[in-house]
Amino acid sequence: MSERLDFGQLGFKAKELDGGDELAGKRAQFLLDDGVYLDGNSLGALPRSVPGHVEDVVRRQWGALKIRSWDESGWWTAPERIGDRIAPLVGAAAGQIVVGDSTSVNVFKALVGAVRLVDGARDEILVDATTFPTDGYIAESAACLTGHTLRPVTPGEVPDALSERTAAVLLNHVDYRTGRLHDLPSLTAAVHEAGAIAVWDLCHSAGALPVGLDEHGVDLAVGCTYKYLNGGPGSPAYLYVRSSLQDRFDSPLPGWNSHAEPFGMRGTYEPATGARRGRVGTPDILSMLALEAALEVWEGVPVEAVRAKSLALTDFFLECVAAYVPEGRVESLTPVRHEERGSQVALRCEDAGDVMERLIGRGIVGDFRRPDVLRFGFTPLYVGFADVERAARVLAEELR
């Protein structure tokens, strides 16, 4: 534990940090109450532009224009158009991301598609052993359906686990439980050196830190949009297919929306070109256009500035926790080193479930992961340093 500081000192430091925050003005673009919302790594806050936009979609585009909106309101091209808005946030050029379906469905498309891209003699899929459970379930099903062996390994074990048998590797960029950031560039390079395909889950990194999909040669990636991208509950996920692989990407879920002639109603399937290959059926327009409105808050925001503030917020939270919380009451599971940290802090606490209930009752909203983890997500677009200091102070009061 660091030398203990009183509330006044850290409160003053919070004001200074907020005064120099170049992203502080973004907070006004969200609908927030008087509490401290530190659960944006589960569900992002509501951008103010969304309700009015959704009302227009419902009343005018659907209500007045009806089916004409597929053309006149741009519904048909929304999956690729919105994908191009997400692309800069994950370091991708336009034309490589399509929005639609859930993260789970897109993991399935990506993993089976990855297996189909490599030599059929490769019979093993590696999956992150610490992954969010659904990714593991999907990977097990994909392996079974393709006749492959599934081998769970930790990200640190991947380089040694790779072999001529490896067809694809599914990894999480940030560990959902601890907030650990894994080394996407070096792990992708190791997968490629072994002749396999790298598939990354970006759910806990997109919108919080630079990803660099194109720069680091990632093959396939998926991600949700309801966390740091603030797309709303159940907002559609996205699928990234590197441009050089698109003409060979063979989706296991071909649908009329990904057909080269979707209105030809042909009996045989011919895949569309480009990112459209990742589509399946009719897109969920209401959720998709709510997401499009939510992404407007990213106009003019460099991801590098978001990352810098994210690290500053989590550094300051850890400092405040060390100063305020009784020694030995919590243990941080989140790495101290910036290159290993995402945008959340996970604290182990023996009565974590009860503690989080009390925090929420006092307006400090984080979440609890069994059996003993308090999880706090720091969304740089709307979380400030005074919020951080207040959260740590209330946590300390509840733990005394």
Side-chain angles (χ1 to χ4, degrees), residues 29-327:
Q29 296 185 34
F30 291 86
L31 286 168
L32 299 165
D33 57 25
D34 293 332
V36 177
Y37 190 65
L38 300 180
D39 209 7
N41 54 329
S42 285
L43 177 65
L46 174 64
R48 290 182 180 273
S49 63
V50 173
H53 186 74
V54 170
E55 183 176 12
D56 176 72
V57 171
V58 172
R59 291 186 181 277
R60 183 183 64 84
Q61 297 183 29
W62 178 16
L65 295 178
K66 300 179 180 64
I67 201 167
R68 291 162 52 195
S69 275
W70 284 106
D71 291 322
E72 295 181 28
S73 299
W75 289 0
W76 184 258
T77 57
E80 293 77 41
R81 182 178 71 246
I82 301 171
D84 285 346
R85 295 197 73 160
I86 293 172
L89 302 178
V90 292
Q96 299 176 99
I97 293 179
V98 64
V99 174
D101 305 310
S102 67
T103 305
S104 302
V105 171
N106 283 315
V107 169
F108 181 76
K109 292 180 207 171
L111 202 50
V112 175
V115 167
R116 292 176 174 179
L117 284 167
V118 299
D119 184 344
R122 292 176 176 268
D123 62 355
E124 186 175 74
I125 296 171
L126 301 184
V127 65
D128 184 348
T130 61
T131 189
F132 187 76
T134 294
D135 283 18
Y137 306 155
I138 296 293
E140 185 175 10
S141 178
C144 179
L145 289 170
T146 59
H148 285 63
T149 299
L150 184 67
R151 184 179 174 194
V153 295
T154 66
E157 294 170 335
V158 166
D160 291 334
L162 291 163
S163 72
E164 68 280 353
R165 293 184 56 194
T166 310
V169 183
L170 173 61
L171 294 166
N172 284 263
H173 197 190
V174 173
D175 186 295
Y176 80 99
R177 189 167 178 272
T178 66
R180 176 177 291 277
L181 172 65
H182 297 302
D183 191 345
L184 180 147
S186 67
L187 287 171
T188 300
V191 171
H192 287 167
E193 186 175 354
I197 298 293
V199 183
W200 285 91
D201 182 328
L202 310 179
C203 286
H204 287 269
S205 58
L209 53 90
V211 177
L213 292 179
D214 288 353
E215 177 185 358
H216 303 303
V218 169
D219 301 304
L220 302 163
V222 301
C224 66
T225 61
Y226 47 79
K227 301 183 190 298
Y228 296 108
L229 299 183
N230 312 298
S235 58
Y238 57 90
L239 170 68
Y240 165 90
V241 181
R242 182 156 53 90
S243 58
S244 62
L245 297 177
Q246 288 177 357
D247 62 346
R248 295 192 294 124
F249 178 69
D250 183 11
S251 173
L253 296 174
W256 77 282
N257 254 238
S258 61
H259 198 286
E261 295 183 62
F263 294 98
M265 303 302 167
R266 301 184 184 280
T268 55
Y269 180 72
E270 180 185 346
T273 58
R276 274 182 53 206
R277 285 196 178 199
R279 293 172 71 153
V280 184
T282 306
D284 185 342
I285 290 299
L286 298 184
S287 291
M288 190 166 294
L289 297 186
L291 167 63
E292 184 171 34
L295 291 171
E296 291 174 3
V297 301
W298 289 95
E299 290 296 326
V301 177
V303 177
E304 293 74 18
V306 172
R307 176 59 168 165
K309 183 177 175 183
S310 165
L311 291 172
L313 287 168
T314 49
D315 278 344
F316 188 52
F317 183 68
L318 289 169
E319 179 183 356
C320 290
V321 168
Y324 294 168
V325 173
E327 192 163 3

Side-chain angles (χ1 to χ4, degrees), residues 347-369:
L347 301 176
R348 176 173 284 144
C349 176
E350 63 182 21
D351 49 351
D354 292 338
V355 170
M356 184 53 70
E357 279 192 26
R358 298 199 300 273
L359 288 176
I360 292 172
R362 295 185 62 181
I364 310 299
V365 180
D367 66 18
F368 159 64
R369 287 292 179 267

